[in-house]
Amino acid sequence: MINFNLKTQLSWRDVAVRTAFIVVTVVAIVWTMPHDTRFNFKIVKGTPWGYSDLTAPFDFPVYKSEAMLESERAELLKDFKPYYTYDEDVAHHQTSLFRQQWSRLKEMPPSQLKIVISNRLNALYNRGIIDTLEPLEGDTTQTVWRVMGESAVLFNLGQVLTPKQAYEMLLQDTTVRTFADQLKDLNLNEFIVPNLLYDSVHSQTALDELLRSVAPSSKLVQRGQKIISRGDIVDEDSYLVLQSFQKEFDLRQESNQSGLTMAGRALYVFILILLFTIYLSVYRKDYFSSIRSAGMLYVLIILFTLLASLLVGHSLLHVYIIPFAIVPIFVRVFMDSRTALMTHLTLVLICASMLQLPLEFIAVEAVGGLAVVFALRELSSRSQFFWTAAIFLLAATATRFAIYLIRRGDISSFDPSDYYYLIMCAVIVFCSYPLLYVIEKTFGFISDITLIELSNTNKDLLRRMSEEAPGTFNHSIQVGNLAAEIARKIDANAQLVRTGALYHDIGKIQNPIYFTENQSGGISPHEHLTYIESAQTIISHVTEGLRLADKYHLPRQIRDLIATHHGQGKAKYFYVKYKNEHPDEPVDDLLFTYPGPNPFTKEQAILMMADAVEAASRSLPDYTEQSIRTLVERIIDSQVQDGFFRECPITFRDIQYSKTVLIEKLKTIYHTRISYPEEKK
């Protein structure tokens, strides 16, 4: 045995089950959590800062605005000098080509003209013929670099020519113009091509180096320095600081997804889930007896954490639209208030770790969860869902508005957008009623609404019992009333035990005449049966009841009440009769024993006591306080001595209260009425 705490002893199996719940839940939650937490403050220039005081958690630069950067870049570009490569081979190649084409002339001009044009071409190429001025946008006053081999020299673009300017200058030469008619067969424009080419590689490299000299930031904010205070106006300077902080924050979140970050998340979730498991182990350890009961709690935490992760990680909708209040509602309906609060707080604290404003989220959701738990003491009608959703909306919006007033202190800038999400959340809570059925079927619970529906006497099975076994039907109603009173007194589920009482004897429908409450005229069919056959017929109403329960799909809790209302007791009337008539023969007790099992819940024990007492009370010769008290004490003490209640969590104090309730109720039922006088004629 392992000592889990001072009061609780857990076996190795119990520890293994709880460990499995913890590990699976932590892994599922950490795996579904968003891998980055983005900066999600709203930065609006010219408005007051509506959040708490913001202090720099790390050093970060204040980045310049795009307009400032463009201005500085434009100023630097005024001094930018692009590179042009001078190709010396172009002049030689083009003059040689000119000499080769000279023979195409039909009317040969003087040979000196050939030399003149060649010299003019060389002069133009020496001056420089540029390919384009587009990179410089036509600015002929710009100084640029001319690259010749390994050296570069500055020159003014006004000194160079475009191909068009060079051609026009060649034609303006007096000698060339004189012999223009003879040169018409020779297109001089073909021999003028650029020899000063724009060097995009060197120019872009120089431009990039120049632009890199523009500092992207204007100053540095140091760790611990206040960025902005609550209520301060977001002016131009603080707007740049906040945007820079946002940019740096997001960059750090992207780069800091290390193993330590994941370990921190896992540790935080592990602490919360461990504390939640310790709470269940100490105060609600019976939930672990049914894996599905404990499983519902952990599954709800995982599912709603996954939903919050999707919304936060993908920035889909505001987290307030998630109906976290459904969790305490379902836990309160199927379990208890304390567990509902613990489950809700565990879920809210886990989800808060994904948000930028966790304290506000915790306050709003915690108050909303408390409100629904207090509002939904029991669920007996569908309208309670409406009022629960309305109370949640009122509590959550009031808390959200109170936090707004604390932070702002000014209602003029009130933004109702968050409240729209809370309203939508309340609508989802109200519409979640059908999910109760899903939870019931998935995890094997049963709600008060389902019990109320099952207790409707117009149900097929109950109507059939009222018609075919009316005595049993009346007996079941009386047992239900007695059992419900006991349940209310000792803090058990009154609605469950009342509904179970209506169905506990449904097996008698198969042979109703064999049970005394359905007999009339003093005729009993047992007169024609042996004691063993009679005992088997009486005992069979339990197995027949379970068969009918399966046929009509009754919940597991009702089937358990049918199976345990006699426990492993005996059909004592026929058992004693048989032993008296066969004193020297060994008796097979199993032939007279109900299949059981014995009660293992408080409600089952209550039904067993109420059923036995109500049935026996019909055989009392007179109904006095003493006779009723003696009957109740004898029957229940006998059940205790036979060990029927050893496996259920009912105390001697509860049993004593049960006796008191049964005595008082039977006295009321069988009280003596006064005789009414007759009027004398």
Side-chain angles (χ1 to χ4, degrees), residues 648-660:
C648 68
I650 191 169
T651 65
F652 286 110
R653 182 173 179 269
D654 294 335
I655 293 174
Q656 191 59 45
Y657 276 135
S658 301
K659 291 179 180 179
T660 303

Side-chain angles (χ1 to χ4, degrees), residues 405-610:
L405 292 178
I406 293 172
R407 287 183 169 178
R408 298 289 183 90
D410 179 17
I411 202 171
S412 60
S413 58
F414 176 74
D415 182 10
S417 59
D418 290 346
Y419 300 88
Y420 297 152
Y421 290 108
L422 289 174
I423 293 173
M424 295 173 66
C425 177
V427 173
I428 296 174
V429 171
F430 171 65
C431 296
S432 64
Y433 174 79
L435 291 178
L436 278 174
Y437 180 78
V438 177
I439 296 294
E440 286 186 30
K441 295 303 180 183
T442 303
F443 298 101
F445 290 104
I446 185 169
S447 66
D448 286 347
I449 291 181
T450 300
L451 292 172
I452 292 172
E453 292 174 349
L454 288 173
S455 62
N456 184 355
T457 55
N458 288 320
K459 286 283 186 180
D460 293 341
L461 196 53
L462 294 180
R463 188 177 68 251
R464 179 183 169 190
M465 183 166 65
S466 68
E467 295 171 353
E468 299 180 18
T472 301
F473 180 73
N474 291 327
H475 161 71
S476 299
I477 292 177
Q478 291 291 353
V479 171
N481 293 334
L482 294 173
E485 285 297 323
I486 297 174
R488 280 189 283 269
K489 186 67 176 178
I490 66 174
D491 195 25
N493 190 332
Q495 188 60 55
L496 172 61
V497 75
R498 181 190 293 275
T499 306
L502 291 175
Y503 288 91
H504 80 286
D505 276 343
I506 57 172
K508 294 180 179 180
I509 295 176
Q510 298 302 108
N511 297 296
I513 195 63
Y514 285 90
F515 300 90
T516 57
E517 66 266 24
N518 299 313
Q519 296 171 2
S520 62
I523 301 175
S524 173
H526 290 285
E527 296 175 357
H528 307 289
L529 300 176
T530 65
Y531 293 135
I532 293 177
E533 291 173 339
S534 294
Q536 289 295 307
T537 302
I538 297 299
I539 291 171
S540 67
H541 86 274
V542 173
T543 55
E544 286 296 327
L546 292 174
R547 186 185 64 80
L548 288 173
D550 290 334
K551 179 180 178 181
Y552 285 86
H553 306 292
L554 295 181
R556 173 182 55 84
Q557 291 84 346
I558 303 298
R559 295 198 299 269
D560 290 341
L561 287 168
I562 295 172
T564 59
H565 77 276
H566 284 294
Q568 292 179 330
K570 293 181 174 61
K572 283 193 174 181
Y573 179 86
F574 299 106
Y575 178 70
V576 173
K577 284 277 191 180
Y578 184 86
K579 288 188 67 175
N580 290 338
E581 292 189 8
H582 304 81
D584 299 327
E585 296 181 11
V587 180
D588 186 357
D589 290 354
L590 292 178
L591 296 175
F592 298 91
T593 303
Y594 286 94
N598 288 328
F600 52 86
T601 67
K602 190 180 290 188
E603 289 77 15
Q604 294 166 7
I606 292 171
L607 179 59
M608 173 180 276
M609 291 186 287

Side-chain angles (χ1 to χ4, degrees), residues 10 20 47 73 77 106 118 286 306 322 358 413 464 528 597 599 602 646 663:
L10 295 179
T47 62
R73 291 175 187 141
L77 286 176
K106 297 179 180 179
S118 297
D286 55 306
L306 171 61
I322 301 177
S413 58
R464 179 183 169 190
H528 307 289
K602 190 180 290 188
R646 290 175 182 173
I663 292 170

